[in-house]
Amino acid sequence: MKKVRKTFRWIDIGEDARRQYINAQATFTAWEDARKAASEVRGGMYWKRQGATEYLIRTSPSNAQKSIGLRSEKTEQIYQNFIARKAEVEQRLAGLTSALERQQRMNRALFVGRAPRILIDILNKLAKEGLSEYFTVIGTHALYAYEAAAGVGIGEEAALATQDIDLLLDTRKRLSFITRMANLGTSMLKLIQKVDSTFKIRDDQKYTAVNSKGFEVDIIRREPKDDDPHPLRLTDEDDEFYAVPARNAGLLLNGPRFSAVIVSTTGHMARMNTISPVSFVRFKRWMAEQPDREPMKRTRDILQANMVEELITEYLPHLSVSN
């Protein structure tokens, strides 16, 4: 990448805020690990008698039941290990949840973050339901991940102005996604409505849901290839998202990933999985070169590409393609 020297305004968040972000990030990642461990022991186990025989039954959070086997020394040990493990991980999660709440209060007091709360809540909902691996945040909201990793704030308000989040669905994992949604017994729209009940699918854009404040969630996909279905409806629910094909989105799926803990103005945190800053720059420059690109969007594409290029050069040089 070419060398650019601070053409744009960068906000110094201060040493106190940077230290707080590091501490909060450490707590958040430990909480993520604890939540994952707790998810593996959700549900329960109990002994079920049938006649003169007892069976060990494993129950899911939805109360689905599966027999582990006849009561024996082996299943007794499985039962004891499960109960002990469940108690251990739930206690650890409770402790880290309290620690996380303290860190969030400190984040707010020290003005650590400024991502929209709705963005945080959507990302956390996807993570809680085990859906984060199927979606990549692309577009303007990725900037919050880049500035968090750099430890500075983007000073160009025009670059951050947006009222929608673009979620790129990984169609390569479609079968796994369908299975996951079936296990959850819900639709993508209903999940988003648990964040904000006012989200509704737009009549003219079935890939977009908008809430009462005008914030939109768009579901994007790569252009159909191989055995990709088209059109692609996320679930069989009556009122549900369709994923819209986006030009060159396949390159984003195949490119390097980037992940960062972002912070809202309220101090709440979420992990954002997005594309690498280098991929962002390349994609935005490509978008700006398209002859049918709207002039106002082209202007913002160029602004964002130049700005992220400078952010890499000045604050994230280890990510530069030249290294």
Side-chain angles (χ1 to χ4, degrees), residues 271-288:
R271 178 170 298 283
M272 179 184 286
N273 297 317
T274 183
I275 59 176
S276 75
V278 172
S279 295
F280 181 94
V281 171
R282 288 172 174 164
F283 190 76
K284 284 293 181 175
R285 293 210 189 287
W286 175 84
M287 289 284 288

Side-chain angles (χ1 to χ4, degrees), residues 11-70:
I11 300 170
D12 183 2
I13 64 173
E15 288 303 318
D16 287 343
R18 272 190 283 273
R19 281 194 294 269
Q20 171 56 29
Y21 175 76
I22 292 171
N23 293 335
Q25 182 184 42
T27 300
F28 184 85
T29 54
W31 175 82
E32 282 182 309
D33 291 341
R35 182 178 60 181
K36 182 177 183 297
S39 71
E40 294 170 355
V41 291
R42 291 176 67 192
M45 283 188 180
Y46 74 99
W47 297 103
K48 181 178 180 180
R49 178 175 291 278
Q50 289 185 337
T53 308
E54 281 188 299
Y55 295 87
L56 179 60
I57 303 298
R58 175 76 159 93
T59 62
S60 72
S62 62
N63 207 32
Q65 300 185 356
K66 178 182 178 181
S67 175
I68 304 299
L70 291 169

